[in-house]
Amino acid sequence: MTAPDRRSAAAIADAVNAGRISAVAVAEETLARAAAYDAVQPQIWISRASREQLLEQARAVDARIAAGEVLPLAGVPFAVKDNIDVEGFDTTAACPAFAYRPESSATVIERLTAAGALCIGKTNLDQFATGLVGTRSPYGIPRNASNLAYVSGGSSSGSSVAVAAGLVAFALGTDTAGSGRVPAAFNHLIGFKPTKGRWSTHGLVPACRTLDCITVFTDDTADARLVDQVVASFDPADPYSKQLADKPLRPARIGVPRRDQRVWFGDTESEFLYDRALENLARLGELVEVDLAPLLEAAQLLYGGPWVAERTAAVADMLADNPDAIDPTVRTIVEPGAEVSAVELFNGMYRLAEIKRHADLLWSDIDMLAFPTTGTTYRVSELLAAPVALNSNLGLYTNFVNLLDMAALAVPAGIRANATGFGITLIGPADTDRALLDVADAYLSVADLPLPPSLDLEGKMQTVKLAVVGAHLKDMPLHWQLTSRDAKFVGAFETAPTYRLYAMADSVPAKPALVHSEDGASIAVEVYELGVAEFGSFVVEVPAPLAIGTVTLADGSSVKGFVAEPRAMTGAEDITSLGGWRAFIARAA
Amino acid sequence: MTAPDRRSAAAIADAVNAGRISAVAVAEETLARAAAYDAVQPQIWISRASREQLLEQARAVDARIAAGEVLPLAGVPFAVKDNIDVEGFDTTAACPAFAYRPESSATVIERLTAAGALCIGKTNLDQFATGLVGTRSPYGIPRNASNLAYVSGGSSSGSSVAVAAGLVAFALGTDTAGSGRVPAAFNHLIGFKPTKGRWSTHGLVPACRTLDCITVFTDDTADARLVDQVVASFDPADPYSKQLADKPLRPARIGVPRRDQRVWFGDTESEFLYDRALENLARLGELVEVDLAPLLEAAQLLYGGPWVAERTAAVADMLADNPDAIDPTVRTIVEPGAEVSAVELFNGMYRLAEIKRHADLLWSDIDMLAFPTTGTTYRVSELLAAPVALNSNLGLYTNFVNLLDMAALAVPAGIRANATGFGITLIGPADTDRALLDVADAYLSVADLPLPPSLDLEGKMQTVKLAVVGAHLKDMPLHWQLTSRDAKFVGAFETAPTYRLYAMADSVPAKPALVHSEDGASIAVEVYELGVAEFGSFVVEVPAPLAIGTVTLADGSSVKGFVAEPRAMTGAEDITSLGGWRAFIARAA
């Protein structure tokens, strides 16, 4: 048996159908890969199939192959965002208090498993699929697979990382405002958001039920096509399901945002990569600048207008019975929806209908849109400091799509220096799903993009460990300079026995100076971990005579830490014998 | 010149195009007819074209014909419900405080006038198109053309009567919950409610903007077809407009309400006529009983659920600035909509989507529905006594149609003994509009219905004039027994000089007895007009020794009126010399 490319669903299915590898063997390998990545980001999962659960699925597939069946997804491992029901798993929507055990699988899951795919687990998400970031979950923050300091994007955070990390060949996400596209861009993936109604949403926890779509992340367009072939069909159990239709699309005229309306949030790299993408797209068709204003107005209805109440409707029971179980940021978003009146919603519907008419007419001037997927990306720490505003920035080019009944395909379009992905989204009128995949093929063949960067398995270049010794210790007056930078407490340690500690004269607030000395002692320190940018900004704020240097800990390892210029000792009191700053403060009090 | 059938738009247009009659001649004749009917029901109009206005239109048509044009509606007079903009007329929506002068005509009007039709005026309606009765307008109550005691149906009340009375060949109505169908049934007309989006609603005052349709009343299907041909088209100015589509429909399986679910509100005549209609329909296809429950649940969303807020949205400014200008019944309906939350509306939308899915699946079991248009009809006086409940009864079989995106065609199906019309509605999936007209032709050819009854020009059989002489006079203690029966004051008169008047002993409240006597005098009376049913119930309440007999007035005419048994004079005081009861009361005070 030769192992197929583990990133290609088509290759795995071919190998299993041809008997070159068994589904059981694929499952075993998948279990090993997932276990290995647990050392990096266990938080991309909310639940995982047990070994026995997975092997049982795989054995059933092997038996069907042995019986002569040919299955389009034979033995292909996949992951499922945890707002989609899968029999045998709880559905949590990233809210433990909301969790339930579904009686049956969502229609899309039934179709995938009938086609031979193996569900290996349920992935983390922004709670109730409310977010584009991945930071809004009590199950932890999935991070960008290529740079752990950055957000994975959301709300389908865990699913995107599961594919980017090569754990599964494809993963289901969902998309109401961009949740199936933003994480694709950040993680160098294809993000296929079908036309609403093409894929059944029966068995999906609603976010905005009139807008929700189930989506898929894949490494290439062939797999997106393959999954679509298996999943797309009319489902009478979903009132929003539609009869299948496939409209052609020739990218003769490609709409792009008017240059003066493009917004990059200061990210010149994204701007550069988008310009390069446009050069490549110009080889497929004529670029036509379009007015963003009406599209942005539609988007505004989603989070700034009456559609917020649709999210409120989805979590009404939780809001009434157990509001504290809701993520605080999600709650600030969904709670105000209860105050929106039906009259406001009707007025919003009328305005949306007008904008939709405008958008429909757009299709007589252009054949499709090619927009940036996002204008920039953010560090996790940045998101945590401004969780609503930065999230909104990420939705600028995605929010309007579902409201205006469009199909969308997020496609990689380059790599930032920090290894995160920049992407464009190809957008067409309803039912151009398959046609967009063809356009993506044409684009990718002319774009000649670099391979995705290697995975960030340690995050070591991206965070810095810092030993603090005085006013930055927990509960001390400057501790906030760490918390405001999302610093993570690593532990309380002692230095190597080679330091003396001084209480500086005239320092406000009172601060010590840690001074290396062979005639020294072990001094108590606390070690924190910060993002490099946060660390840099922290260093900027350190006043003389203190400085940030390197501090040796008792175990011989080195971390960055507070040191002092010599003048620090002028008039200072040697307090080395106290063993640490807390003892000095206690004595003074 | 020979006059064409004035009830047929096709015949008029043919004659004008062929030069057999001029549009000016048609206009003159129309003016005369309208003026004549003003003696019966001037309240069917809110405004009418001046003679000069109409003749100017007609001359322009004649000029176009003379120039060689052939116009599909050349010289055809029509009327327009006064919630549709027509240049040169105020639009009131039956609310004087709401009135405005539109800058341009609604799209449908532009198409009709371009086709040669002549707008003769704007018709009365239930205010803001909220009602199925015609009683909710400060411009008066249009009544059934065949029986003035009965409601015309609404909200397109005036338009239906204008056609039924033969004043115009067709008239535009609107339909949100049945307003274009109920008045058709009551007035023996075709009521064509196109699929939503087939006819532009640009220039329509919204009732429920997501559901509103413009409709037409005609005497035959040929005219409905002709108007549809002129009007139906995509209108970019209407965000709800759709590209034209015509789906075929063969009435092989005709859905009818399950027998145990049919509701007639005690009207056995309607039940009988519906059964007869079903016998005729059974000659076209197989009758299949369908479950009404989900359809009625959808209907419930309209007036009993969150869609009420859509009406509130439509009149929000009036409700805020000038609530007293709104009809009291309309106000009790639209005011509570302000309290409906967007969350409730979203939940309603989900439920509606489920029901719609159910309804869509219905179309695989049956090809069309043939429902009663209404289960019964009501007197104006009955409606006034219970304006909300009886109105709801009339919408039972019509309310669900627009919510579920169906096409509907109201067709006559018989005549009640009281001369009001009973009708059925043929209902098909979206875009079967033309096909339904063909089914109607087939039905009408087998049904062999009687001709519509003649117009009720006086209402004389239906109302009763009653002379009151004592405690029922205006401002007297029992006057409420008249007002509560919607009695109309005819005038203050004197009897023939052949009565004596007595103040009865021990009567509480004090009451007189009018006693015929050749040795008498003229006694002051007030004459009121009541519906026969109201009159009957009034008589029931008259206590001995009084009675209702016949009273001769000074002009020699006879009306019903209070008389007395002889015992009334026992111990009574003869007050004939005072000339009337008011003088007696004044003397006593």
Side-chain angles (χ1 to χ4, degrees):
Chain A
M1 292 184 179
T2 51
D5 176 359
R6 68 188 189 187
R7 303 189 74 105
S8 163
I12 295 170
D14 282 352
V16 173
N17 279 315
R20 292 201 304 277
I21 193 169
S22 68
V24 166
V26 175
E28 293 277 18
E29 197 205 357
T30 301
L31 285 165
R33 279 203 305 271
Y37 198 71
D38 281 348
V40 183
Q41 293 206 76
Q43 74 274 17
I44 69 169
W45 301 99
I46 289 179
S47 55
R48 268 233 296 281
S50 69
R51 182 186 164 74
E52 193 38 48
Q53 224 177 346
L54 189 64
L55 292 179
E56 190 188 320
Q57 291 183 63
R59 281 192 291 263
V61 169
D62 284 333
R64 292 173 65 189
I65 300 296
E69 285 193 65
V70 175
L71 303 173
L73 292 170
V76 178
F78 74 108
V80 180
K81 188 176 180 179
D82 200 20
N83 58 349
I84 301 170
D85 289 342
V86 182
E87 212 183 324
F89 295 84
D90 280 357
T91 304
T92 69
C95 180
F98 177 80
Y100 63 91
R101 177 61 63 112
E103 283 179 18
S104 58
S105 290
T107 302
V108 292
I109 303 296
E110 281 174 359
R111 296 187 71 89
L112 291 170
T113 52
L118 312 175
C119 175
I120 79 157
K122 306 291 293 292
T123 59
N124 204 348
L125 63 149
D126 283 316
Q127 195 177 73
F128 296 115
T130 296
L132 292 171
V133 287
T135 60
R136 300 167 175 178
S137 168
Y139 294 97
I141 302 176
R143 289 158 178 263
N144 191 297
S146 305
N147 185 331
L148 297 176
Y150 282 80
V151 294
S152 58
S155 62
S156 314
S157 50
S159 281
S160 66
V161 175
V163 176
L167 312 184
V168 289
F170 70 90
L172 298 187
T174 65
D175 189 312
T176 303
S179 291
R181 291 164 274 157
V182 171
F186 291 174
N187 289 288
H188 315 280
L189 301 174
I190 298 289
F192 177 72
K193 188 214 80 71
T195 301
K196 180 149 181 61
R198 182 177 179 89
W199 291 15
S200 168
T201 55
H202 177 67
L204 168 66
V205 176
C208 290
R209 204 172 146 192
T210 60
L211 305 173
D212 299 332
C213 296
I214 292 180
T215 70
V216 70
F217 298 108
T218 61
D219 276 299
D220 57 37
T221 55
D223 279 359
R225 227 175 246 114
L226 180 58
V227 172
D228 179 65
Q229 218 142 26
V230 168
V231 168
S233 80
F234 176 73
D235 178 9
D238 169 15
Y240 295 97
S241 177
K242 290 198 311 183
Q243 295 293 346
L244 269 194
D246 280 306
K247 291 199 186 142
L249 185 161
R250 208 170 52 88
R253 295 158 307 168
I254 301 171
V256 301
R258 246 170 51 197
R259 187 166 284 276
D260 64 308
Q261 293 178 322
R262 295 179 200 163
V263 180
W264 304 106
F265 309 101
D267 182 348
T268 52
E269 246 182 321
S270 288
E271 183 174 9
F272 171 80
L273 291 170
Y274 185 60
D275 282 339
R276 199 152 68 180
L278 294 189
E279 285 169 28
N280 289 318
L281 286 164
R283 296 161 68 184
L284 308 183
E286 180 199 355
L287 303 186
V288 180
E289 294 201 350
V290 299
D291 181 9
L292 271 191
L295 305 178
L296 298 186
E297 191 190 340
Q300 185 60 18
L301 295 168
L302 199 55
Y303 281 107
W307 266 261
V308 168
E310 185 154 31
R311 294 186 186 266
T312 314
V315 298
D317 291 346
M318 288 293 299
L319 273 173
D321 304 338
N322 197 358
D324 293 334
I326 302 177
D327 174 271
T329 304
V330 171
R331 197 171 149 191
T332 61
I333 293 163
V334 299
E335 230 163 17
E339 303 304 316
V340 180
S341 74
V343 169
E344 290 170 84
L345 175 54
F346 274 119
N347 287 325
M349 288 162 62
Y350 306 147
R351 184 63 193 131
L352 177 60
E354 288 167 6
I355 298 171
K356 183 151 189 344
R357 172 53 38 89
H358 172 91
D360 289 346
L361 295 175
L362 199 66
W363 301 129
S364 54
D365 298 329
I366 55 166
D367 302 295
M368 55 171 287
L369 301 171
F371 277 21
T373 302
T374 70
T376 188
T377 186
Y378 294 108
R379 290 169 182 278
V380 170
S381 54
E382 291 170 309
L383 242 304
L384 291 174
V388 175
L390 298 190
N391 186 85
S392 297
N393 291 352
L394 295 182
L396 182 79
Y397 300 110
T398 60
N399 282 343
F400 64 88
V401 169
N402 300 30
L403 280 160
L404 298 176
D405 195 21
M406 298 169 174
L409 185 67
V411 179
I415 305 173
R416 293 187 192 83
N418 62 23
T420 63
F422 172 78
I424 59 172
T425 299
L426 312 179
I427 301 168
D431 302 322
T432 58
D433 310 75
R434 307 288 291 191
L436 289 177
L437 285 163
D438 296 338
V439 175
D441 284 339
Y443 164 72
L444 290 169
S445 78
V446 299
D448 195 23
L449 298 172
L451 285 176
S454 58
L455 297 180
D456 180 359
L457 297 177
E458 299 180 34
K460 65 186 169 189
M461 300 302 295
Q462 309 300 334
T463 61
V464 178
K465 289 200 175 99
L466 173 73
V468 301
V469 68
H472 291 93
L473 293 167
K474 188 159 188 314
D475 300 328
M476 296 282 171
L478 300 180
H479 187 66
W480 63 269
Q481 293 184 343
L482 292 172
T483 51
S484 67
R485 289 179 169 82
D486 188 32
K488 183 176 139 203
F489 178 63
V490 177
F493 297 96
E494 288 193 339
T495 63
T498 53
Y499 289 92
R500 298 203 76 81
L501 191 67
Y502 296 85
M504 294 194 291
D506 307 316
S507 175
V508 178
K511 289 191 280 287
L514 184 71
V515 180
H516 189 265
S517 163
E518 290 306 332
D519 177 22
S522 287
I523 302 296
V525 296
E526 290 174 4
V527 174
Y528 290 85
E529 189 167 7
L530 296 83
V532 281
E534 290 70 26
F535 175 69
S537 74
F538 181 88
V539 174
V540 168
E541 294 185 8
V542 173
L546 299 180
I548 299 298
T550 302
V551 173
T552 307
L553 300 180
D555 66 358
S557 69
S558 288
V559 294
K560 305 315 290 184
F562 274 89
V563 295
E565 292 177 60
R567 54 177 165 148
M569 284 174 286
T570 306
E573 180 190 355
D574 185 328
I575 57 170
T576 309
S577 61
L578 294 175
W581 185 246
R582 285 194 194 279
F584 173 77
I585 295 292
R587 191 195 72 179
Chain B
M1 290 190 183
T2 51
D5 175 0
R6 68 186 188 185
R7 303 189 73 106
S8 164
I12 295 169
D14 280 354
V16 174
N17 279 315
R20 292 200 303 276
I21 192 170
S22 69
V24 166
V26 175
E28 294 276 20
E29 196 205 355
T30 301
L31 286 166
R33 277 205 304 272
Y37 197 72
D38 281 347
V40 184
Q41 294 207 74
Q43 73 274 20
I44 68 168
W45 300 101
I46 289 179
S47 54
R48 268 234 296 281
S50 68
R51 181 186 164 75
E52 194 36 52
Q53 224 176 345
L54 189 64
L55 291 179
E56 190 187 319
Q57 290 181 65
R59 280 191 290 266
V61 170
D62 284 332
R64 291 173 65 190
I65 300 295
E69 284 191 68
V70 176
L71 302 173
L73 293 170
V76 177
F78 73 109
V80 180
K81 188 175 180 179
D82 199 20
N83 57 350
I84 301 170
D85 287 343
V86 181
E87 213 183 322
F89 294 85
D90 280 355
T91 304
T92 69
C95 179
F98 177 82
Y100 63 91
R101 178 61 65 115
E103 284 180 16
S104 59
S105 289
T107 302
V108 292
I109 302 297
E110 281 175 359
R111 296 186 71 89
L112 291 169
T113 52
L118 312 176
C119 176
I120 81 158
K122 307 289 295 288
T123 59
N124 204 347
L125 63 149
D126 283 317
Q127 196 178 73
F128 296 115
T130 295
L132 291 171
V133 285
T135 59
R136 300 169 175 177
S137 167
Y139 296 96
I141 301 177
R143 291 157 177 266
N144 191 298
S146 304
N147 185 330
L148 297 176
Y150 282 80
V151 294
S152 59
S155 61
S156 315
S157 50
S159 281
S160 66
V161 175
V163 177
L167 311 184
V168 288
F170 69 92
L172 298 186
T174 65
D175 188 314
T176 304
S179 291
R181 292 164 273 158
V182 170
F186 292 172
N187 289 290
H188 314 280
L189 300 173
I190 299 288
F192 177 70
K193 187 213 82 68
T195 301
K196 178 145 183 64
R198 182 178 178 89
W199 290 16
S200 169
T201 55
H202 178 69
L204 168 66
V205 177
C208 290
R209 203 173 146 191
T210 60
L211 304 174
D212 298 333
C213 297
I214 292 180
T215 70
V216 71
F217 298 107
T218 62
D219 276 299
D220 57 36
T221 55
D223 279 359
R225 227 176 247 113
L226 179 58
V227 172
D228 178 65
Q229 216 142 29
V230 168
V231 168
S233 79
F234 175 75
D235 179 9
D238 169 14
Y240 295 96
S241 176
K242 290 197 312 182
Q243 295 292 346
L244 267 196
D246 279 308
K247 289 198 185 144
L249 185 160
R250 207 169 51 88
R253 294 158 306 169
I254 301 171
V256 301
R258 248 169 49 195
R259 187 166 283 276
D260 64 308
Q261 293 178 322
R262 294 178 201 163
V263 180
W264 304 106
F265 309 100
D267 183 348
T268 52
E269 245 183 321
S270 288
E271 185 175 8
F272 170 81
L273 291 170
Y274 185 60
D275 283 338
R276 199 152 67 183
L278 293 190
E279 285 168 28
N280 289 319
L281 286 165
R283 297 162 67 183
L284 309 183
E286 178 199 358
L287 302 186
V288 180
E289 294 202 349
V290 300
D291 181 10
L292 270 191
L295 305 178
L296 298 185
E297 191 191 338
Q300 185 61 17
L301 294 168
L302 199 56
Y303 280 107
W307 266 261
V308 168
E310 184 150 32
R311 295 186 186 264
T312 314
V315 297
D317 291 347
M318 287 295 298
L319 273 173
D321 304 339
N322 199 357
D324 293 335
I326 303 177
D327 175 271
T329 304
V330 172
R331 195 171 151 191
T332 62
I333 292 163
V334 300
E335 231 164 17
E339 303 304 318
V340 179
S341 74
V343 168
E344 290 170 84
L345 175 54
F346 273 119
N347 287 325
M349 289 162 62
Y350 305 148
R351 184 65 194 131
L352 177 61
E354 288 167 6
I355 299 169
K356 183 155 190 337
R357 171 51 40 88
H358 172 91
D360 289 346
L361 294 176
L362 200 66
W363 300 128
S364 54
D365 298 329
I366 56 167
D367 301 298
M368 54 172 288
L369 300 171
F371 277 20
T373 301
T374 69
T376 188
T377 186
Y378 294 106
R379 291 170 181 277
V380 170
S381 55
E382 292 169 308
L383 241 306
L384 292 174
V388 175
L390 299 189
N391 186 84
S392 296
N393 291 351
L394 295 182
L396 183 79
Y397 299 110
T398 60
N399 281 344
F400 65 88
V401 169
N402 300 30
L403 280 161
L404 298 176
D405 195 21
M406 297 170 174
L409 184 67
V411 179
I415 305 172
R416 293 187 192 81
N418 62 22
T420 64
F422 172 80
I424 59 171
T425 300
L426 311 180
I427 302 168
D431 302 324
T432 57
D433 311 75
R434 305 289 287 193
L436 288 177
L437 285 163
D438 296 339
V439 175
D441 284 341
Y443 163 73
L444 290 168
S445 78
V446 298
D448 194 23
L449 298 172
L451 285 177
S454 60
L455 296 180
D456 180 359
L457 297 177
E458 299 181 34
K460 65 185 168 188
M461 297 303 294
Q462 310 300 336
T463 60
V464 178
K465 290 202 176 98
L466 173 73
V468 300
V469 68
H472 290 93
L473 293 166
K474 189 160 185 320
D475 301 326
M476 297 282 172
L478 298 182
H479 187 65
W480 64 270
Q481 293 184 341
L482 292 171
T483 52
S484 68
R485 289 177 169 82
D486 189 35
K488 183 175 139 202
F489 178 64
V490 176
F493 297 96
E494 288 192 337
T495 63
T498 53
Y499 290 92
R500 298 203 76 80
L501 193 66
Y502 296 85
M504 293 192 292
D506 307 316
S507 176
V508 178
K511 289 190 279 287
L514 186 68
V515 179
H516 189 263
S517 163
E518 291 306 328
D519 176 23
S522 286
I523 303 297
V525 297
E526 291 173 0
V527 174
Y528 290 84
E529 188 167 11
L530 296 84
V532 280
E534 290 68 32
F535 174 70
S537 74
F538 181 89
V539 174
V540 168
E541 295 184 7
V542 173
L546 299 179
I548 300 298
T550 302
V551 174
T552 306
L553 299 180
D555 66 359
S557 67
S558 289
V559 295
K560 305 315 290 183
F562 275 86
V563 296
E565 289 176 60
R567 55 178 163 146
M569 283 175 289
T570 307
E573 179 189 357
D574 187 328
I575 57 171
T576 308
S577 62
L578 295 174
W581 185 246
R582 285 194 193 281
F584 172 75
I585 293 294
R587 189 195 74 179

